[in-house]
Amino acid sequence: MAEEADVIVVGGGLAGLVAATEIADAGKRVIVVDQEGEQSLGGQAFWSFGGLFLVDTPEQRRLGIKDSYDLAVQDWLGSAGFDRDEDLWPRRWAEAYVAFAAGEKRAWLRAMGHRIFPVVGWAERGGYDAMGHGNSVPRFHVTWGTGPGIVEPFERRAREAERAGRLTFKFRHRVDALTISNGRVDGVSGAILEPDHVERGKSSSRKVAGDFTLRAQAVIVASGGIGGNHDLVRHNWPERLGKAPENMISGVPEHVDGRMIGIIEAAGARLINRDRMWHYVEGIRNWSPIWPRHGIRILPGPSSLWFDATGRRLPSPLFPGSDTLGQLQYIMSTGHDYSWFVLTQSIIKKEFALSGSEQNPDLTGKSWLMTARRATNKGAPAPVEAFKTHGVDFIVRDNLADLVSAMNALVGNDLLKVENLKAQIEARDREIANPYAKDTQVLNIHNARRYVGDRLIRTAKPHRILDPAHGPLIAVKLNILTRKTLGGFETDLDSRVFGQDGKIMPGLYAAGEAAGFGGGGMHGYRSLEGTFLGGCLFSGRNAGRAAARAS
Ligand SMILES: Cc1cc2nc3c(=O)[nH]c(=O)nc-3n(C[C@H](O)[C@H](O)[C@H](O)COP(=O)(O)OP(=O)(O)OC[C@H]3O[C@@H](n4cnc5c(N)ncnc54)[C@H](O)[C@@H]3O)c2cc1C
């Protein structure tokens, strides 16, 4: 006889954990199934930077930021660019999600012990008009404790439910199919994978040791996206972004394989907006990799000069931290799948942050002493310095001629000409003498420094790139880094999945990245950042509560 519960959750990432804890708290029995071992509980969220999109918070107000639901919706809609019939539910989810981020999200997390680092970050700054892409104000709230700090409250609640007998984990159980009886999804079946005690995040064995079937009144799919499966990323790559990159690195572990998405689609669920994805353009190869093709994203401050592979400066407003999708589109239009930052030691020490829990031991380890060093500006954080020393994408030289010849040597061509780069850098350097320049990137730097958070820890004092006092010069080769899936299964606000016939599939729910974080793509084309973990919280909570009510 197959084991039974009220609800089965596929995936022990953040969305699955949130859903499962809501179900258990409602007094129902839930089974959480995950193909990975217990050591990987929390999925991608564990590795994340823990950045959360929140609106009109005490943290913002303390820094003098005036935010509101209306401003955030304006920004969200300007970034999403919803333009399809199937954007009906994604748009409803977007509005509901911004209301959550401006409403109970912070208090709900706080009641579970979640805390926030006091300096609010300013991601995706746009640079178009008020109705265009980007955050009008800083909104990126970093979890004190980064990724592990956002997983912790839900893992704690799940363990309590496990002890109370309402929640069961089934690790190393890989779902291969849904079971459907009389038109209703009523379980899952699949393979039990052999035990494997590899470190968290490393690829685990796929050797099958048995099979299983589980039954329930509802199944919630929270199996993540496709970012670890480059074949699928290339397959879904949209024409509007040019040819899919030949070389990509992975910002997610291999288990983010998209396999479950294919299984659910084959069972009749409606997958929408699969061509919308969120990949970064500031990826660097990890010198100490955990998963295959492991890359890290640089979260850049505003001052690095950005050149394409041929040595042309990226056009305004495609400056560091402005418009990830616009940058990707531009870079792919050059016929090359990489670009370059050129900067100084003064910039790297103040402006480079690396996304991910393991790259931020100060915030992850909740050390005020270590974190305070970010503001004292004595040197770059240790993980950044380590990349500068060991990272294959970093070049450090005392003069521009040597820098450019090392850049050409790294990529094995001679596309970059020192005179060309020199002319562009000197022109930019002339603009730095006044606080009222015409170079839009220089204007952005002055604007950033008017925000106390940026002046404190994110934006270097304006200086000439070729001023030896701020050297040495640094070049960083930037690769395309796969990360997030913006499309997903179309769901209503209760996270119930629509079938390909346009009707709700009874018994089937989707949450997190598998649901495009809600509705099948609540971000539209672009994200304002910090919206993915938040999307897991919101859609996981909705799915869990609705499935518990219905079962
Ligand atoms: C380095 C890094 C930094 C990030 N930083 C941020 C940030 O600062 N802010 C932000 O908002 N977002 C961030 N993100 C993104 C965010 O962490 C993810 O989008 C989110 O955690 C996805 O959660 P999920 O629960 O939907 O999926 P996942 O975490 O991918 O979990 C899915 C789970 O399902 C399991 N699974 C899949 N298929 C099956 C199957 N067939 N059978 C059984 N189990 C299966 C997988 O093993 C996995 O454990 C970051 C991500 C990374 C990797």
Side-chain angles (χ1 to χ4, degrees):
M1 263 264 295
E3 194 175 330
E4 290 197 9
D6 294 308
V7 185
I8 293 163
V9 175
V10 183
L14 184 63
L17 278 176
V18 174
T21 50
E22 290 295 322
I23 295 160
D25 280 6
K28 304 283 170 144
R29 276 218 57 221
V30 55
I31 298 175
V32 179
V33 188
D34 202 295
Q35 61 189 353
E36 295 306 312
E38 185 157 12
Q39 67 276 26
S40 284
L41 186 62
Q44 295 178 60
F46 176 90
W47 297 105
S48 76
F49 195 38
L52 295 178
F53 175 89
L54 289 161
V55 177
D56 191 20
T57 60
E59 286 76 17
Q60 287 175 304
R61 287 194 289 272
R62 273 197 287 273
L63 295 164
I65 300 162
K66 294 182 177 56
D67 201 4
S68 66
Y69 171 79
D70 289 341
L71 186 62
V73 168
Q74 166 186 318
D75 288 350
W76 192 291
L77 295 179
S79 299
F82 294 124
D83 60 358
R84 301 176 176 172
D85 289 347
E86 57 263 46
D87 283 331
L88 177 73
W89 286 102
R91 195 188 168 107
R92 287 179 182 166
W93 268 89
E95 283 161 1
Y97 175 68
V98 176
F100 175 65
E104 60 179 313
K105 179 174 174 185
R106 183 177 177 281
W108 181 61
L109 287 171
R110 202 173 164 78
M112 287 181 249
H114 178 269
R115 292 292 180 271
I116 290 166
F117 179 63
V119 182
V120 183
W122 193 357
E124 293 293 301
R125 299 174 188 207
Y128 305 93
D129 61 27
M131 292 181 76
H133 168 63
N135 284 297
S136 300
V137 294
R139 295 194 176 105
F140 191 72
H141 295 68
V142 176
T143 297
W144 187 232
T146 68
I150 189 78
V151 172
E152 192 275 332
F154 300 98
E155 180 171 356
R156 180 171 23 88
R157 282 173 60 195
R159 295 293 186 193
E160 279 162 18
E162 189 181 25
R163 279 192 295 277
R166 290 195 302 279
L167 185 150
T168 308
F169 283 114
K170 300 267 182 206
F171 296 109
R172 303 295 288 158
H173 281 53
R174 187 190 66 199
V175 174
D176 295 332
L178 291 179
T179 58
I180 303 180
S181 311
N182 302 323
R184 187 179 180 84
V185 175
D186 64 353
V188 295
S189 63
I192 302 173
L193 304 175
E194 70 171 359
D196 190 338
H197 301 290
V198 285
E199 251 174 78
R200 180 196 279 274
K202 290 215 187 258
S203 303
S204 65
S205 161
R206 286 293 178 261
K207 193 161 169 219
V208 173
D211 54 33
F212 71 94
T213 305
L214 300 169
R215 295 248 175 272
Q217 296 174 52
V219 173
I220 299 177
V221 179
S223 54
I226 67 168
N229 182 340
H230 289 193
D231 290 341
L232 209 44
V233 169
R234 288 200 177 91
H235 183 72
N236 290 347
W237 195 266
E239 254 174 48
R240 63 178 182 280
L241 292 179
K243 209 159 83 44
E246 259 169 51
N247 303 298
M248 295 188 281
I249 54 179
S250 275
V252 295
E254 202 174 25
H255 67 68
V256 189
D257 57 16
R259 188 173 167 277
M260 190 67 194
I261 292 181
I263 291 168
I264 303 298
E265 190 181 16
R270 186 160 183 237
L271 184 66
I272 58 174
N273 299 318
R274 72 181 87 210
D275 61 319
R276 292 178 181 163
M277 297 177 259
W278 192 244
H279 306 307
Y280 294 108
V281 283
E282 314 95 335
I284 47 177
R285 288 169 280 176
N286 194 347
W287 61 275
S288 175
I290 296 166
W291 53 75
R293 300 171 290 205
H294 190 168
I296 300 288
R297 183 199 177 196
I298 299 169
L299 296 164
S303 306
S304 297
L305 277 183
W306 203 337
F307 295 98
D308 68 23
T310 68
R312 221 181 358 230
R313 222 174 135 191
L314 263 62
S316 175
L318 303 179
F319 306 118
S322 64
D323 174 8
T324 293
L325 191 75
Q327 287 145 358
L328 179 60
Q329 191 158 16
Y330 174 79
I331 289 166
M332 294 318 298
S333 78
T334 65
H336 302 273
D337 48 26
Y338 66 90
S339 61
W340 297 98
F341 274 167
V342 172
L343 61 150
T344 62
Q345 176 64 21
S346 298
I347 294 174
I348 201 170
K349 74 182 180 190
K350 188 125 183 189
E351 298 198 3
F352 265 36
L354 301 173
S355 181
S357 51
E358 89 285 17
Q359 299 296 337
N360 292 277
D362 50 353
L363 292 162
T364 304
K366 303 185 182 180
S367 163
W368 282 114
L369 197 67
M370 278 170 79
T371 306
R373 289 199 197 118
R374 286 179 188 239
T376 56
N377 200 18
K378 291 273 185 298
V384 175
E385 281 295 336
F387 260 94
K388 212 180 90 191
T389 310
H390 306 294
V392 284
D393 293 314
F394 283 72
I395 300 165
V396 183
R397 293 290 186 278
D398 285 327
N399 65 72
L400 190 63
D402 288 352
L403 192 81
V404 172
S405 69
M407 290 161 80
N408 281 331
L410 180 64
V411 289
N413 61 37
D414 60 356
L415 288 175
L416 301 175
K417 308 288 177 220
V418 66
E419 285 315 316
N420 176 26
L421 260 69
K422 187 160 176 266
Q424 294 177 80
I425 299 173
E426 282 177 349
R428 176 269 182 203
D429 278 359
R430 281 181 207 110
E431 301 272 315
I432 216 77
N434 296 296
Y436 35 81
K438 77 172 178 194
D439 185 294
T440 341
Q441 183 172 11
V442 172
L443 295 178
N444 283 351
I445 295 169
H446 293 309
N447 190 36
R449 283 183 61 86
R450 296 222 300 270
Y451 166 50
V452 60
D454 268 6
R455 199 170 55 246
L456 212 54
I457 58 170
R458 287 295 274 158
T459 307
K461 218 163 153 196
H463 60 273
R464 290 184 300 110
I465 300 281
L466 295 179
D467 180 350
H470 290 274
L473 285 168
I474 300 163
V476 187
K477 180 186 171 226
L478 305 171
N479 309 278
I480 312 280
L481 175 101
T482 62
R483 184 94 94 210
K484 286 135 190 167
T485 312
L486 298 186
F489 292 110
E490 186 181 32
T491 57
D492 68 4
L493 288 174
D494 279 342
S495 302
R496 296 184 302 165
V497 175
F498 287 95
Q500 285 149 20
D501 59 2
K503 297 195 183 109
I504 293 288
M505 286 178 77
L508 186 62
Y509 298 75
E513 211 165 326
F517 301 96
M522 69 168 187
H523 294 94
Y525 289 91
R526 288 173 164 88
S527 163
L528 292 171
E529 286 293 339
T531 55
F532 309 104
L533 295 168
C536 289
L537 299 174
F538 188 53
S539 63
R541 200 175 79 148
N542 284 8
R545 288 182 181 177
R549 267 197 316 272
S551 56

